Amino acid sequence: MIGTFKGGVHPFEGKDLSKNKPVTELKPGNELVYPLSQHIGAPAKPVVAVGDTVKRGQLIAESGGFVSANIFSSVSGKVKSITPRRVATGDMVQSIVIENDGQYDEVDFVIVDDVTSLSKEEIIEKVKYAGVVGMGGAGFPTHVKLSPKDPDKIEYIIANCAECEPYLTSDYRQMIDDPESLIEGMKIVLRLFDNAKGVLGIEDNKPDAIKKLTELTASEPNITVMSLRTKYPQGGERQLIKAVTGREINSRMLPADAGCIVDNVATLVAIYNAVKYGKPIINRIFTVSGDAVSDPKNFYVCTGMNVADILAAAGGCTAEPEKYISGGPMMGFAMFDINVPVTKTGSSILAFKEDQVVRHPATACINCGRCVEVCPEQLVPSRLAKFSEHNDMETFEKWYGVECIECGSCSFVCPAKKHLAQSIKTMKRSVMVARRTAAAKK
């Protein structure tokens, strides 16, 4: 059986540019930047000062609250400054700047010979200390996700192996080059939930990854590989849960409410490295792709590295791109400055010769209904965008606008090229602010 969901679109995949390029390790430059907000929740708090000498793998900023995450240096060197620096979203974020001494002196990581000897509490504590967050882009602290109110009700641990965004191939390379770490990460998470089974959900445009992971899990009675129909946004949390289990969740629910926990490929590998080897997140696989890139590649990079330097390592661009994107083209961020650091959640930089959005200005809605057909949440995006344009918050909420997952499928198929997803996203933010303000007054 091939799992899927209702709605969705089929954008040009673009994965052939980099999917067959093995991961190349890339050394960082002289200066690395570590934003204190690389996760959902409170910013981390610096535990180093300007002038301090640090080692690779040393804690430099500690969790700023329950929903927060530790941050570690990926090089050895000296703390140069603690100052606001720009990140991929365009925001200025307080950051720790470290001058790389090129020695890469490491702290002594604590290796666990037998992971099965650890208690559930010890596993979660190791994940928490290592600063593991959702590395697919969400950035939700993983130790919080692994601590639901009722662990006995968790029935599925779903590995999001879909990588449904066009052009991105970092998860694919992980599954091909080092699938064992992914499987070991899944086994560690399964130890936390007595009634759960593991499912590796992979889109069927990756038959070699499906074959390899199926072979490696053949002797694992509690882990299965499930083929998913190649369709965007198959990797969306709600869509993945629907495709794998048939269960549905909405904006008022967590995956745990449906008996599920969903983790990205890179996150499960980070869990394994944290628990087994005591290593925090200081590296990740990073894709450089797009039709303007000279030599699209997958790199193994240090967090804190300059994205512009990584692009240069891929040969730069064949011509001046009209658009840079951090992340995927459907849900990523357009960038006006590529001199930004790689963070835990940064998976790629894409460079394109043409900016298709600018070249096709929006016209009037023709009421064709295509946005309704593809919406994975069965909403009416054209109406929601209209309510947003008229600042009609009340009607927007009545039409379930907050259920939008901001996947961009509606904008993708709109023949009028209207910026539906952006309009809905803007109103969603206003609704959430209004709700928080009302709650604070009670």
Side-chain angles (χ1 to χ4, degrees), residues 35 37 83-95 336-337 340:
S37 291
T83 185
R85 287 294 185 96
R86 196 170 303 283
V87 295
T89 58
D91 298 324
M92 296 295 287
V93 175
Q94 191 76 356
S95 306
F336 63 86
D337 185 355
V340 297

Side-chain angles (χ1 to χ4, degrees), residues 361-376:
T363 57
C365 174
I366 61 173
N367 296 310
C368 65
R370 293 182 190 176
C371 60
V372 180
E373 292 176 358
V374 303
C375 178

Side-chain angles (χ1 to χ4, degrees), residues 204-242:
D204 57 8
N205 64 349
K206 307 173 183 67
D208 46 354
I210 292 174
K211 181 175 183 292
K212 180 169 284 194
L213 288 170
T214 300
E215 291 172 352
L216 290 173
T217 56
S219 61
E220 299 290 342
N222 218 21
I223 301 176
T224 58
V225 176
M226 183 172 186
S227 179
L228 307 173
R229 184 163 297 160
T230 301
K231 180 170 60 170
Y232 177 86
Q234 184 65 81
E237 199 167 58
R238 298 185 199 176
Q239 286 63 51
L240 192 57
I241 290 172
K242 174 66 175 178

Side-chain angles (χ1 to χ4, degrees), residues 19 65 74 96 125 157 185 213 243 287 361 377 389 395:
K19 67 175 291 189
S74 57
I96 298 173
E125 187 56 37
I157 308 300
L213 288 170
T287 299
E377 292 299 307
E389 291 165 6
T395 309

Side-chain angles (χ1 to χ4, degrees), residues 269-289:
V269 173
I271 290 171
Y272 172 59
N273 288 331
V275 176
K276 174 66 177 179
Y277 299 107
K279 289 187 176 181
I281 296 181
I282 52 178
N283 294 96
R284 68 162 299 138
I285 302 175
F286 190 89
T287 299
V288 180
S289 191

